[in-house]
Amino acid sequence: MRDNKPITSIDVARAAGVSQSAVSRTFTPGAAVSDKTRAKIIEAAKALKYRPNAIARTLSSNRSHIIGMVLSQLDNLFYPTVVDKLSRVLQQHGFHLMLFFAEGRDVDNALTQLLAYQLDGVVLASTTLSSRLAKECVNANIPVVMFNRSADGAQASSVTSNNREGGRIAGEFLLENGHQRIAYIAGREDSSTNRDREAGLTAALAAANLSIYRRAVGNYEREDAASAARAIFAGKKPPDAVVVASDHMAFAVIDTLRFELGRTIPGDVSVVSFDNVPQAAWPAYELTTIVQSVDAMVSATTNLLLDQINAHEIVSSDVVVGCKLMVRKSVRLSPAQKVMLKS
Amino acid sequence: MRDNKPITSIDVARAAGVSQSAVSRTFTPGAAVSDKTRAKIIEAAKALKYRPNAIARTLSSNRSHIIGMVLSQLDNLFYPTVVDKLSRVLQQHGFHLMLFFAEGRDVDNALTQLLAYQLDGVVLASTTLSSRLAKECVNANIPVVMFNRSADGAQASSVTSNNREGGRIAGEFLLENGHQRIAYIAGREDSSTNRDREAGLTAALAAANLSIYRRAVGNYEREDAASAARAIFAGKKPPDAVVVASDHMAFAVIDTLRFELGRTIPGDVSVVSFDNVPQAAWPAYELTTIVQSVDAMVSATTNLLLDQINAHEIVSSDVVVGCKLMVRKSVRLSPAQKVMLKS
DNA sequence: CCAATTACTGCATACGTATGCTACATTGGA
DNA sequence: TCCAATGTAGCATACGTATGCAGTAATTGG
């Protein structure tokens, strides 16, 4: 036998000899109920195994406690890490993540589904179509945070790391360690993240009267990154260092260099990339990389969302999280640097 | 200016000169509306930018079109892959995934939150506390699928691959290729998956009058797996092959063997594991592994869930998806095998 | 001990959609 | 021409909770 009639607040009210309102207030933090009444109600609720119905609450209070997260794919470990941490933090505040996978040209479809669930907030982490989606959500009065990409004109908030700074740091570090022919493997060209990283690198090189030695596009994907590596290392005078726009691509680049082109790292080529995904620390790669602090980004996202939700008002702001270099073993160090790092 | 008053079906009805029921029926597949009325309504809806309210629909129809997914962590690429594929498939059927991270002893908390959202179904992919959660959901009349773990007594469905078969295949493959001292690095001992894989391996070895040469527990975690590898390779006569209960652990084992213990793979040791995570194909590992077909498992999960939802009835069944060996380069092949594989 | 607050409580209604039922219109068959 | 059957439309209500309002009980201050 199964419980076929779900227990409602009315059942609890009856059992406790109070009104339905009292039950509701008991389960609403901050509402006015006397301790005695609350105790009676809690007891009755426990006895009946009552669980408040979040859907009904949403309808009447206009707060779903659901945050939508729009993704395009999860094969790069960066986003799973984000989903994991973000979901946990939100859960502690009584919110939950609902996933929407979107890409290509089904924006309208995605939008309809997004808007249907009366979301309290939206996190956009999908590579494409962000700006249209953001605009429509804001129109519908839903706070939006663009995660790891910046808002081009939309009234949406954004959380990014300081990618320009990161690019600069990567470039300077390579220069300091005596590299001269520095190549760049780009992510998707339409992503702000890629643009900023490349701009920072270019600036660092310019300060030393250099420019990007060779360049190819990897689109944040493994196969494209491998092709990019081949292209960049074809011909004479190959680069002595490569900056790669994401760890995920860097793994492909390193694999290609080692197993296809027979180079050693960092003996023949140095590699620096971005993200500091867990695998970057694995002995097989020991990747020197620009750290995006997922924790800081997640907590910024949470704050941005919750503040707007509580204030019942959309206030867009852009949070830029600082980034730093994590030195491992994929860059050949100059003797001077080695001493410095040792001390 | 923002739209502060959301458009409801009543607004659309008024605009189209029909009743609210007609609007509702227009957006309910299979309901009876004449083409003429439907056309008027669609037009009015488009003009007003009407989007049906899924929450209100849930309250009145008792179908939320939300599937809960309970996870413990996403650092092993297997689960992100599952989340990605499952979410897409469900989305095509009009359902969406809501994430719940749970572990340790907050079962009651997790349960309250799960039950609050009137989920149409639940997928349990969390390592611990599955069986309690499953039971309570079924009690609440919610179909449950235990993903990649089997139901011990609960009236929940399950989808697993044929792990015993997989263990057997792994063992036989190593034996055929002349390995004699075969070690096993286990996942969490309380997981059915681990038990079955180990049982299959043991059976294969027994058929050759052998038994597991050495054994240690890796708990499906990287650090524990590395320790396990150290333990197993300490002392004389080290194993000539290791079966590892997951790819994720196998990467740690291989890293430890190569970079800490100075062994080559498959020269000194062969490695076989389970899952066939994307990274297993990367040149740095070239892992020979037992494939769990995520696609097959996802589609089985979807069917199990949707069938029960449509039937308004819980019917638990267990789906066991076949698995197969993916041969790459982490196992030393006997000369005979090499010829076979070449042909 | 009384008046003025304050602290609770219950009543009634709203949230937006789905759906059983009734009523009406249309069609086809005899 | 009339009746039965079928196809549509609208009415009314239910879903479970939150909350403004009004009323009552408890508390405080003088």
Side-chain angles (χ1 to χ4, degrees):
Chain A
M1 274 308 292
R2 252 180 257 117
D3 323 337
N4 274 322
K5 292 103 196 163
I7 310 298
T8 75
S9 57
I10 300 187
D11 300 322
V12 177
R14 192 172 306 140
V18 298
S19 72
Q20 181 267 330
S21 326
V23 178
S24 169
R25 288 192 243 265
T26 296
F27 290 93
T28 304
V33 206
S34 69
D35 291 348
K36 205 171 54 176
T37 310
R38 164 173 285 120
K40 272 195 302 186
I41 293 177
I42 299 250
E43 192 189 3
K46 201 174 295 174
L48 295 176
K49 297 199 178 186
Y50 166 70
R51 322 266 184 180
N53 181 328
I55 298 294
R57 167 188 296 145
T58 298
L59 190 59
S60 100
S61 70
N62 215 20
R63 295 249 153 276
S64 65
H65 289 199
I66 304 178
I67 305 292
M69 180 152 194
V70 182
L71 295 161
S72 51
Q73 45 184 354
L74 288 182
D75 58 358
N76 169 353
L77 251 188
F78 181 68
Y79 288 104
T81 308
V82 172
V83 170
D84 183 321
K85 297 192 174 188
L86 183 57
S87 188
R88 286 175 203 276
V89 174
L90 289 174
Q91 228 171 286
Q92 290 177 341
H93 293 270
F95 288 78
H96 287 273
L97 271 190
M98 185 155 168
L99 264 29
F100 296 83
F101 282 82
E103 61 218 315
R105 291 274 64 83
D106 54 350
V107 196
D108 280 304
N109 193 17
L111 201 57
T112 302
Q113 311 200 331
L114 258 186
L115 263 26
Y117 279 99
Q118 314 302 105
L119 303 174
D120 284 351
V122 169
V123 178
L124 289 181
S126 130
T127 0
T128 42
L129 51 82
S130 296
S131 106
R132 161 87 186 282
L133 274 184
K135 203 165 295 177
E136 299 264 20
C137 289
V138 171
N139 263 348
N141 219 352
I142 304 174
V144 174
V145 172
M146 309 189 54
F147 192 96
N148 204 28
R149 50 195 33 77
S150 67
D152 29 344
Q155 316 160 36
S157 301
S158 70
V159 173
T160 59
S161 29
N162 193 333
N163 288 308
R164 197 169 204 290
E165 170 93 349
R168 198 177 52 66
I169 293 174
E172 286 174 358
F173 183 68
L174 288 173
L175 291 171
E176 281 165 18
N177 284 285
H179 298 81
Q180 299 283 334
R181 300 189 303 279
I182 300 175
Y184 179 68
I185 293 183
R188 292 182 54 120
E189 307 235 39
D190 57 358
S191 77
S192 62
T193 305
N194 180 69
R195 276 198 305 278
D196 295 346
R197 289 171 181 179
E198 182 163 2
L201 174 62
T202 304
L205 297 185
N209 279 322
L210 288 175
S211 59
I212 288 177
Y213 180 65
R214 282 179 197 166
R215 180 183 189 279
V217 178
N219 288 319
Y220 294 129
E221 304 219 344
R222 207 180 147 79
E223 279 313 312
D224 292 354
S227 307
R230 285 179 208 111
I232 277 181
F233 282 87
K236 302 208 161 178
K237 283 225 172 197
D240 57 5
V242 197
V243 176
V244 187
S246 77
D247 288 351
H248 186 244
M249 288 196 295
F251 301 133
V253 170
I254 290 178
D255 285 348
T256 305
L257 288 172
R258 282 183 178 153
F259 299 104
E260 205 178 307
L261 306 179
R263 315 281 165 122
T264 64
I265 293 153
D268 299 325
V269 202
S270 292
V271 177
V272 180
S273 57
F274 293 83
D275 287 354
N276 194 34
V277 150
Q279 300 158 30
W282 292 8
Y285 295 103
E286 288 277 23
L287 202 48
T288 291
T289 187
I290 304 290
V291 180
Q292 298 213 73
S293 167
V294 174
D295 285 325
M297 293 175 77
V298 161
S299 107
T301 302
T302 308
N303 292 337
L304 241 31
L305 247 24
L306 295 188
D307 287 351
Q308 295 181 75
I309 292 172
N310 291 332
H312 288 253
E313 192 189 356
I314 293 191
V315 185
S316 80
S317 43
D318 300 303
V319 176
V320 178
V321 173
C323 52
K324 58 173 196 268
L325 184 70
M326 168 62 87
V327 178
R328 293 205 184 86
K329 298 184 181 159
S330 64
V331 172
R332 174 175 45 76
L333 300 182
S334 69
Q337 275 283 344
K338 279 189 194 166
V339 173
M340 272 185 57
L341 286 174
K342 212 170 273 178
S343 67
Chain B
M1 276 308 292
R2 254 179 255 116
D3 323 337
N4 274 320
K5 292 103 195 164
I7 311 298
T8 73
S9 58
I10 299 188
D11 300 323
V12 177
R14 193 173 305 142
V18 298
S19 71
Q20 180 267 330
S21 325
V23 178
S24 169
R25 290 193 240 265
T26 296
F27 290 93
T28 304
V33 206
S34 69
D35 292 347
K36 204 170 55 175
T37 310
R38 163 174 284 122
K40 272 195 302 186
I41 292 177
I42 300 250
E43 191 188 4
K46 202 174 294 178
L48 295 176
K49 298 199 178 185
Y50 167 70
R51 322 265 183 180
N53 181 328
I55 298 294
R57 168 187 297 143
T58 298
L59 190 59
S60 101
S61 70
N62 216 18
R63 294 251 154 273
S64 64
H65 288 203
I66 303 177
I67 305 291
M69 179 152 195
V70 182
L71 295 161
S72 51
Q73 45 185 354
L74 288 182
D75 57 358
N76 170 353
L77 252 187
F78 180 68
Y79 288 104
T81 308
V82 171
V83 170
D84 182 320
K85 297 194 173 187
L86 182 57
S87 188
R88 286 175 203 277
V89 174
L90 288 174
Q91 228 170 287
Q92 291 177 341
H93 294 270
F95 288 78
H96 288 275
L97 270 191
M98 185 156 168
L99 264 30
F100 296 82
F101 282 82
E103 62 217 315
R105 291 275 63 83
D106 54 349
V107 196
D108 280 303
N109 194 16
L111 200 57
T112 302
Q113 311 201 332
L114 260 185
L115 262 25
Y117 279 99
Q118 315 302 105
L119 303 174
D120 284 352
V122 169
V123 178
L124 289 181
S126 130
T127 359
T128 41
L129 51 83
S130 297
S131 109
R132 161 86 186 281
L133 274 184
K135 204 164 297 178
E136 299 264 19
C137 290
V138 170
N139 262 349
N141 220 351
I142 305 174
V144 173
V145 173
M146 310 189 53
F147 192 96
N148 203 29
R149 49 193 35 74
S150 67
D152 29 345
Q155 316 161 34
S157 300
S158 70
V159 173
T160 58
S161 30
N162 194 335
N163 288 307
R164 197 169 204 290
E165 170 92 350
R168 199 178 52 67
I169 293 174
E172 285 174 359
F173 184 68
L174 289 173
L175 291 172
E176 282 166 17
N177 284 285
H179 298 79
Q180 299 284 335
R181 300 188 303 280
I182 300 176
Y184 179 68
I185 294 183
R188 291 182 54 122
E189 306 235 40
D190 56 359
S191 76
S192 63
T193 305
N194 179 70
R195 273 198 306 278
D196 294 345
R197 289 172 180 177
E198 184 164 1
L201 174 61
T202 303
L205 297 185
N209 279 323
L210 287 175
S211 61
I212 289 178
Y213 180 66
R214 282 179 197 166
R215 179 183 190 281
V217 178
N219 288 318
Y220 296 129
E221 306 220 343
R222 209 179 145 78
E223 280 313 311
D224 292 355
S227 306
R230 284 180 209 113
I232 276 180
F233 282 86
K236 302 210 161 176
K237 282 225 173 197
D240 57 4
V242 198
V243 176
V244 187
S246 77
D247 288 351
H248 185 245
M249 289 196 294
F251 301 133
V253 169
I254 291 177
D255 285 348
T256 305
L257 288 173
R258 280 183 180 154
F259 299 105
E260 207 178 306
L261 306 179
R263 316 283 164 119
T264 64
I265 293 154
D268 299 324
V269 204
S270 293
V271 177
V272 179
S273 56
F274 293 84
D275 287 354
N276 196 33
V277 149
Q279 300 157 31
W282 292 9
Y285 295 103
E286 289 277 21
L287 203 48
T288 291
T289 187
I290 303 292
V291 180
Q292 299 213 71
S293 167
V294 174
D295 285 325
M297 292 174 76
V298 161
S299 107
T301 302
T302 308
N303 291 338
L304 242 31
L305 246 25
L306 296 187
D307 287 352
Q308 296 181 74
I309 291 172
N310 292 332
H312 289 255
E313 191 188 357
I314 294 191
V315 186
S316 81
S317 44
D318 300 303
V319 176
V320 178
V321 173
C323 53
K324 58 174 195 266
L325 184 71
M326 168 62 87
V327 178
R328 295 205 183 87
K329 297 184 183 159
S330 63
V331 172
R332 175 175 44 80
L333 300 183
S334 69
Q337 275 283 342
K338 279 190 195 165
V339 173
M340 272 184 57
L341 287 173
K342 212 171 270 177
S343 66

